[in-house]
Structures are given as structure tokens and as C-alpha cells.
Amino acid sequence: MTFLEYAPAPESTAILNLKPEYGLFIGNEFVAAEGESFSTISPATEKEIARVANASAADVDRAVAAARKAYDKTWSKLSGRDRGKYLFRIARLVQERARELAVAESLDNGKPIKESRDVDVPLVAAWFFYYAGWADKLDYAGLGGNPRSLGVAAQVIPWNFPLLMLAWKIAPALAAGNTVVLKPAETTPLTALLFAEIVQQADLPAGVVNIITGAGETGRALVNHPDVDKVAFTGSTEVGRQIARSTAGSGKKVTLELGGKAANIVFDDAPIDQAVEGIVNGIFFNQGHVCCAGSRLLVQENIHDDVVERLKNRLSTLRLGDPLDKNTDIGAINSAEQLQRIRELSDIGEAEGAERWTAECAIPENGFWFAPTIFDNVSTSSRIAREEIFGPVLSVLTFRTPAEAIAKANNTPYGLSAGIWSDKGSRILAVADKLRAGVIWANTFNRFDPASPFGGYKESGYGREGGRHGLAAYLKGAK
Amino acid sequence: MTHIAVPKTYKLFIGGAFPRSESGRTYEVATPKGVFLANAAKASRKDARDAVVAARGAVSGWAGATAYNRGQVLYRVAEVLEGRRAQFEDEIVRQEGVSASAARAQVDEAIDRWVWYAGWTDKFTQVVGNANPVAGPYFNLTVPEPTGVVAIVAPQDSSLLGLVSAVAPALVSGNAVVVVASETFPLSSITLAEVLATSDLPKGVVNVLTGSPAEIAPWLASHADVNALDLVGAGALDWIDLEIAAADTLKRVYPPENGPDAAAPALSRITAFTETKTVWHTKALI
């Protein structure tokens, strides 16, 4: 018996009109790739959704050539006003097809439909709407008058927010006047391919947006392509390092949005119930597949027991299961490989002496699942406190003074995000000043907005996405 | 009776002190015609590491100082520079072999650039920061913050101006600096260090290494406690290898610049060594 019995309320997949097989999207057409196709599966059922093309180096060449031609012949000559109108069209088309995109996202990624429907897809539309308006206002972007676009942008995105990461990459790039070749992650190509249909419906000039599918090899060929002027990558710190090495001396402008190990700091004067909701949202949102996830809970020692108990009670009410069910809180882990990594690191956490607690919930027979898990009494040197797990696993540490909280929060090579929970405004401001992280949420967590710059300090990467700063990543000064 | 001159021993500048290189090494600095000027310290890997330790220790104090205070301290540097201009001009003439008027012009420009940057400390945040109109009950603010420890390979073809042009902008936001001076013209860097040491700049905020950039720069590029690498003067080195080494800890890297306009005054030289922090403050629902 769980918290409350609910009848299943699955979102229908009838709204989808998928093709059995997708080619590469180059020059506004789906074309066949050279290599073998591969299948994209639903992580909740392990059933094939569609087959997608695996782009070879020659395919990457074709896509970059299409983007170069579009840049030289049409897009760089179009006025900002006209570029903006195309982006506004895209924003509207995303809104019109929002339900379809949400269902496809949950099917392919495994995230709960309530997240793809209420967070991912609305933000995608917002992102295009926001940057559409920038296209004819670039003189105000902070680079002086008449800033110039860079050229062809190579964009490689991860599987955790497939369509949202696409929007973060494509919207500012196009607004600034660049053309793009984008590669979605190999496990989540579906919504990018549906987006290609939207590009066709918006009647964008051919070659402005090219979408090529494939794995790491395809991504490498893309970012190292000599005719690429800009590289934007979101993904692991390890791959980010490889890109920084391979693009060294190339003159390519590079932005990297990499891993994180965010501290979520709860002071004893925090509104505890809200904080518990925030902690849950911080680490269990999107199954913890979030680079800015609040994976290290730093709780003031005197409220530790209370917070952990309330947290366990709250987690016991979360529903794990079918991502398409509207009642589902925790969906599927994106891939068998990722599930393996979460299991390994969790076992290490246990072996290193942390106390493991896992919410009791029924695990479906097929698919990849990991029940929400808390590790208590985690030491700062433990691997689960240092390495990014990228799963629904929370490490709990304690502190006594603000100085100790700050020292522990900053004790990581990462610096993407952090959370502060307190009712004392002056303390929030002081602590926020001291945290070495690019995004800080005070009495909230995991909020995103196209007007708000996002990105990391230290080994979480460089460059910003969102806001005026995100636009500057795709421009250079006039001189 | 003629006065027998008392020549200066040019040493390193680390943590506010003037140590010799721990390696005991020096190298000869001469005029363009080959006349001996001084034995400059030839910094080692250990000296570079000591300098990084000193810089790291200085970051929180300098970054935590008010922008007004940083501005006043940097302006004071320009004042003291002005007062010792004769010594700088003399050293420039002897090192570079240029005319007295050319040396004077270089010192003029170095002082003016320093003043220009000093005035930025309490303004760049307003120019590059943002209040962000997010769709929700949040006060959302973006501000630039210093990156941390910045290692600089100073322009190699200039004794004072290149050095000033690279060091001053990194200090504006509150970074601490380890700078490798011009190998050929190192004397001005140590005299500048004497200016810095007497200008209320906290110790460790600027650390000056003289010697071989080709030898020292790789240790700084791969040092895990260096946050950013300014390769402005590294054009003649294997600078791509330095950038590759810097990738291990994802340092921010600023590429080489060549020619007389290298490190020209620009806001972008300040922001290159800053990080962008965005804070979401929750508003109550009333």
C-alpha cells in the first residue's frame, strides 16, 4: 500500500505521428546517412521508438557545408528584424505542438510528463520568444555597436533536457546571425528530429539549422571540423576537457556547460517545509539528471534530524513509474549505462561508510529505474560527495556555522550552482557573495528562465546561456 | 670625490617580499649594445608555485575589498608610479635603447592606463551586470566576480607599458596575479613591484617572476590552483601547448596578441577574468 492509490492516468501517445526511421536533417531536408542506423528506445519499456541515422565524418562535412552556404548566402545577409520573425515563428510552432513535443520527450527520455509538459516545453517556447526579440537589438547586447555573428556554430547537447538544451543552443545562435549544426545525444534524438519538422514548417532558409544524429564520434568530428567558428557544448566535464584541448589554438569561440556538485545549504531558520520541497525538487527533479542538481545537502547540525525525517516522509510519497502517467513524480533513468553508473557510485557510498536510505517503491519490470536514495553522514572526502552521480541520489552533510557551510560548499572543483535556505535576508546576501558558483537559488531551486544567465565557475565550464550574456557567446565586437 | 654608484639587486616579488630565486639562478640583462645592466633572478618552477600560493592567499581579501577601496589603491599605484617616473624612464632607455622622449611617452601611457583602469573598479559591475526580468516572483540579479588567480605572460617586447596593460585590468575586479615579466626587459617589472609594494596593495595581490617564460609558463598553465591564463605575451612560445595544458582544469585562456596594440585598454580585458554569477532571490507572495 503506497501513500494513496491512484488510477493510472497515462497521456496518450496517439498525438504522435512518428516515422519509423529518421535521416539527417541537412539543408531543410531529411537525407540518408552513410553509416548504419541505430535505434532510440524508451527507457521505461526498452522498446524501440524509431531508428535514427548515425552521421559519419562525411555526413558532418555535408552538414557543415550546408550551414556555411546558408551563412554566406542568406542568413548573414538577412536583417535582424527578419531573423527575429523566423524565431518568433518557431516559438509559436513549439507552442502549437507543445503536447506532442512533451509526449515525445517523455517517451524518449523517460522524464515524467508533468515535467516535460510544464517545464521543458514551455521553456523551449519561451527561449525562442526571448531571443527572437534580441535579433534586431544586437547593438544593445554589450559588445558595442554593430556586433558581428561568428559564422557556423557546432552544438552538441546532452540527453537530460533534450529539446530544452536544443533551444538554449539554437535560439541565441540564430538571433545573433549564426547558422548551426546541432547534434542531440544518441539516446534522445527524437524531439530534435521533430524540431526539424518545425524548422520546415517555419520555412527557415535551407541550411540555417542542420541536425545530425550520432554518438561521440559524430560529436568529435563536428566540434573539430575546420570550418566551424563556434563550439557550444553541454555535457560531462571530461568531454568538456577534451573539447578545450582539441580546439586549443583554433580560434574557435568555445562555451562549455559541464558538470556540477551543487550544495544546497539549509540554515536552522529556514522555512523547513518549503526547504524540504526545495531539496526534493533540487535533487529528484528529472531523476537527478541535472547538471545543477542540489546533490549535496548541507544542513545545519541542530535541525539535521528533523530535516532528514521530513525528507524521508516526503520521498515516501513520490510516485515512480510510467513517465507518461500524469501522476508520476520520478520517471525512468535515461539509459542502462547511466543506471549502472548510479548503482556503482551508490555502492561506493555505502562501502565508504555513509548510511543509505532508499524510498520504498515498486520498480517496474522492464526499463531502467532507481528509487530515490539518501546517503546520510557523508564525509566530505567520500566519492559520492565529490563526483557527479547524475541520478536521484542525495548526500547529506552537516555544518555548524555559515563559514563552515561556505567552506564545504566551495570544496569542489565544480562551481555550477548552489542553494541557500534561510529566512534572514542579510545572511542570504552574504552567503551568496561567498559561494563560488554561477547560479544561486535563495529559498528556491532549479529555476530557469531565458532572461537569466546560466553557467559555471571553475571546472563547470565557461560562458553563459540565457539573458544578454548568453547572446554575447555568439557575437564578436565590430572592430 | 666621485660617488661610486650602489646598484640595485633585482629579485623576484612574491607575497609582498623580494626573494631571490630559490634555485639561486640569475641571468644577465644587458643593453641592446650588450653593456651589462644587472643580473636578474631566473625564477624556477618552485618560485612559480610559491607565487601561486601567495596569490591564492590574497584573493579573498582583495576581491572582498570594496570597489571604491580597490579603485583608490590602484589610483595610488599611479601616483607612486608618477613620482618615480625618472627611474622608469632611465631603465627603459637603458633596456630598450630608445630615446628619452620615447621612454617618457611610454611612462606617460603606462600611468594613464593605470588611472583608466583604476576608475573602472566601481563601474564595470554596473556596465556588465544585469537585473533580469524572469517570469516569476523572483528578484534575479547577475553580477561579475573575479575569476581568482590569474597567471599572465606579459608582452615580451615592452618593458613597462606591456606589463601594466596586462596586469592592471586583471586587478580591477579583484583577481590576484602571477605575472611572468618580459625576459629581455625585466628590470621595469621589479621596479614596478617596488611601486606596488609601497602603494597599499595587499601583499600577494601581484607577484612578479623574472626569467624564462618558456620555462615558467608551462608550470603555471598546468597548475590546478590557477584559474585563468593570459597568454597576451606568449606569442613566441608554444602557446597552443599551454592552452592544452590549461584545459585540464578548464582555465579561462586569453590568447596571444602581437604588435604595438597588444593589450590595448579595453573593458573586455577586465571581463575576460571575471565570472558571471546569477542569484535568484525569492519574493514573498503578499
Side-chain angles (χ1 to χ4, degrees):
Chain A
M1 174 71 191
T2 51
F3 167 62
L4 279 174
E5 294 292 351
Y6 272 64
E11 186 69 53
S12 169
T13 55
I15 197 168
L16 296 177
N17 184 19
L18 301 176
K19 297 176 207 161
E21 180 150 7
Y22 287 88
L24 307 173
F25 186 70
I26 297 175
N28 274 18
E29 286 172 9
F30 284 98
V31 298
E34 277 196 338
E36 272 291 285
S37 66
F38 61 98
S39 73
T40 183
I41 64 164
S42 159
T45 60
E46 300 176 56
K47 285 187 187 146
E48 180 179 290
I49 304 168
R51 292 197 68 81
V52 294
N54 190 2
S56 67
D59 295 321
V60 171
D61 253 350
R62 275 198 294 166
V64 172
R68 172 62 58 193
K69 190 175 159 197
Y71 180 75
D72 290 343
K73 299 259 156 81
T74 55
W75 199 245
S76 67
K77 295 186 173 151
L78 215 55
S79 68
R81 181 159 60 175
D82 287 344
R83 286 200 312 274
K85 283 194 273 188
Y86 281 114
L87 290 170
F88 279 122
R89 274 190 199 173
I90 292 174
R92 285 304 198 211
L93 288 161
V94 168
Q95 287 174 325
E96 287 158 17
R97 297 178 65 169
R99 185 57 57 90
E100 176 194 355
L101 292 168
V103 171
E105 196 76 302
S106 283
L107 188 64
D108 199 24
N109 166 279
K111 67 173 65 199
I113 185 74
K114 71 177 182 189
E115 290 180 13
S116 53
R117 183 194 63 202
D118 299 345
V119 180
D120 293 55
V121 176
L123 277 172
V124 171
W127 230 271
F128 278 101
F129 202 86
Y130 175 81
Y131 279 108
W134 263 119
D136 56 1
K137 301 170 190 68
L138 300 181
D139 286 350
Y140 303 94
L143 291 99
N146 282 317
R148 290 174 301 158
S149 53
L150 303 172
V152 175
Q155 307 181 313
V156 177
I157 58 171
W159 46 260
N160 57 342
F161 294 91
L163 191 62
L164 183 56
M165 290 299 107
L166 174 149
W168 284 29
K169 295 283 180 288
I170 292 183
L174 264 49
N178 306 277
T179 57
V180 307
V181 179
L182 176 132
K183 188 193 88 69
E186 67 263 38
T187 61
T188 56
L190 195 61
T191 46
L193 295 163
L194 294 183
F195 181 81
E197 296 175 5
I198 287 177
V199 169
Q200 289 175 327
Q201 290 182 336
D203 201 22
L204 237 69
V208 171
V209 171
N210 304 277
I211 292 169
I212 57 171
T213 45
E217 203 56 45
T218 307
R220 258 191 297 281
L222 179 56
V223 302
N224 294 327
H225 196 288
D227 203 26
V228 153
D229 305 292
K230 157 83 191 181
V231 174
F233 171 76
T234 298
S236 73
T237 290
E238 196 38 55
V239 175
R241 277 193 192 99
Q242 290 170 19
I243 291 174
R245 280 187 207 113
S246 70
T247 56
S250 68
K252 292 173 186 170
K253 190 161 179 169
V254 179
T255 45
L256 302 170
E257 202 271 271
L258 309 174
K261 194 72 196 177
N264 205 353
I265 304 169
V266 182
F267 287 99
D268 61 5
D269 67 345
I272 298 295
D273 285 330
Q274 279 114 303
V276 167
E277 288 305 307
I279 296 161
V280 170
N281 176 48
I283 183 63
F284 301 110
F285 174 62
N286 201 31
Q287 296 73 247
H289 299 331
V290 185
C291 45
C292 53
S295 52
R296 288 184 296 151
L297 175 64
L298 292 177
V299 57
Q300 201 152 15
E301 199 175 77
N302 54 326
I303 56 164
H304 164 271
D305 294 353
D306 185 21
V307 167
V308 170
E309 193 194 325
R310 291 198 211 198
L311 203 49
K312 287 175 181 173
N313 289 340
R314 180 68 182 91
L315 290 181
S316 301
T317 69
L318 294 181
R319 289 158 197 287
L320 179 147
D322 182 5
L324 291 174
D325 192 314
K326 288 169 230 174
N327 294 320
T328 294
D329 299 301
I330 305 281
I333 300 301
N334 182 251
S335 66
E337 190 191 357
Q338 185 58 27
L339 179 59
Q340 186 55 31
R341 176 170 166 80
I342 297 168
R343 283 182 175 152
E344 269 175 30
L345 272 167
S346 298
D347 291 346
I348 287 167
E350 216 170 344
E352 287 184 342
E355 294 162 28
R356 180 177 187 156
W357 177 91
T358 297
E360 273 183 45
C361 53
I363 300 288
E365 246 174 62
N366 295 317
F368 318 124
W369 310 91
F370 197 90
T373 295
I374 299 175
F375 281 99
D376 203 356
N377 281 324
V378 177
S379 75
T380 48
S381 60
S382 177
R383 280 182 63 187
I384 54 170
R386 303 201 63 77
E387 294 181 28
E388 188 173 38
I389 300 174
F390 225 63
V393 180
L394 178 68
S395 296
V396 182
L397 299 90
T398 59
F399 67 91
R400 289 184 181 173
T401 64
E404 186 187 354
I406 291 161
K408 283 183 168 168
N410 288 339
N411 181 16
T412 166
Y414 294 115
L416 188 51
S417 65
I420 308 168
W421 296 84
S422 170
D423 240 3
K424 196 170 161 82
S426 56
R427 175 148 62 194
I428 289 171
L429 291 166
V431 173
D433 269 357
K434 298 275 185 196
L435 293 174
R436 300 293 288 163
V439 185
I440 294 170
W441 289 288
N443 292 321
T444 184
F445 210 94
N446 273 344
R447 300 284 158 203
F448 308 96
D449 193 282
S452 180
F454 182 94
Y457 283 32
K458 300 194 280 185
E459 295 184 26
S460 289
Y462 34 76
R464 290 293 175 270
E465 295 182 289
R468 183 166 66 100
H469 295 77
L471 197 62
Y474 288 93
L475 289 171
K476 57 187 170 191
K479 60 170 178 182
Chain B
M1 256 177 70
T2 53
H3 174 72
I4 302 295
V6 181
K8 180 161 81 185
T9 305
Y10 288 88
K11 298 187 283 186
L12 307 174
F13 183 53
I14 298 175
F18 291 89
R20 291 189 170 83
S21 169
E22 63 78 36
S23 65
R25 302 178 306 174
T26 59
Y27 70 108
E28 194 175 306
V29 181
T31 68
K33 289 183 177 161
V35 178
F36 172 80
L37 287 175
N39 287 313
K42 189 170 186 190
S44 66
R45 170 189 181 182
K46 175 84 164 61
D47 294 320
R49 289 176 163 186
D50 289 346
V52 172
V53 170
R56 173 58 59 197
V59 169
S60 69
W62 182 238
T66 64
Y68 179 44
N69 181 236
R70 280 201 309 278
Q72 288 191 99
V73 169
L74 293 181
Y75 183 77
R76 171 117 181 112
V77 171
E79 288 176 350
V80 179
L81 238 172
E82 183 78 67
R84 293 181 63 166
R85 66 156 48 241
Q87 187 182 359
F88 282 104
E89 288 173 20
D90 177 54
E91 277 173 354
I92 291 169
V93 167
R94 288 196 288 148
Q95 290 176 104
E96 297 189 22
V98 296
S99 68
S101 66
R104 196 177 319 119
Q106 186 176 151
V107 175
D108 286 349
E109 185 60 23
I111 292 167
D112 289 353
R113 280 190 192 180
W114 203 285
V115 171
W116 190 74
Y117 279 118
W120 265 117
T121 57
D122 50 6
K123 297 165 195 71
F124 82 98
T125 303
Q126 292 173 309
V127 174
V128 304
N130 267 110
N132 306 308
V134 296
Y138 303 98
F139 171 59
N140 180 302
L141 197 69
T142 293
V143 292
E145 290 190 341
T147 297
V149 173
V150 180
I152 300 172
V153 179
Q156 295 294 302
D157 48 7
S158 157
S159 38
L160 179 66
L161 184 58
L163 182 75
V164 163
S165 304
V167 171
L171 299 178
V172 168
S173 65
N175 292 298
V177 162
V178 176
V179 60
V180 185
S182 165
E183 184 170 15
T184 325
F185 312 130
L187 305 188
S188 305
S189 72
I190 297 306
T191 305
L192 180 70
E194 292 165 10
V195 167
L196 300 175
T198 52
S199 302
D200 294 333
L201 193 74
K203 62 181 184 180
V205 170
V206 174
N207 304 276
V208 180
L209 301 174
T210 55
S212 161
E215 180 193 344
I216 306 166
W219 300 119
L220 294 170
S222 62
H223 197 299
D225 215 18
V226 170
N227 301 105
L229 189 61
D230 184 352
L231 295 176
V232 60
L237 306 181
D238 292 329
W239 66 270
I240 296 176
D241 286 345
L242 296 175
E243 191 174 345
I244 291 170
D248 274 350
T249 51
L250 292 158
K251 293 179 181 67
R252 289 74 175 116
V253 179
Y254 207 79
E257 291 177 34
N258 297 310
D261 284 340
L267 175 60
S268 57
R269 286 205 74 83
I270 299 172
T271 56
F273 305 109
T274 62
E275 304 296 312
T276 301
K277 177 183 276 181
T278 300
V279 187
W280 296 62
H281 293 282
T282 307
K283 291 180 185 172
L285 296 171
I286 51 173

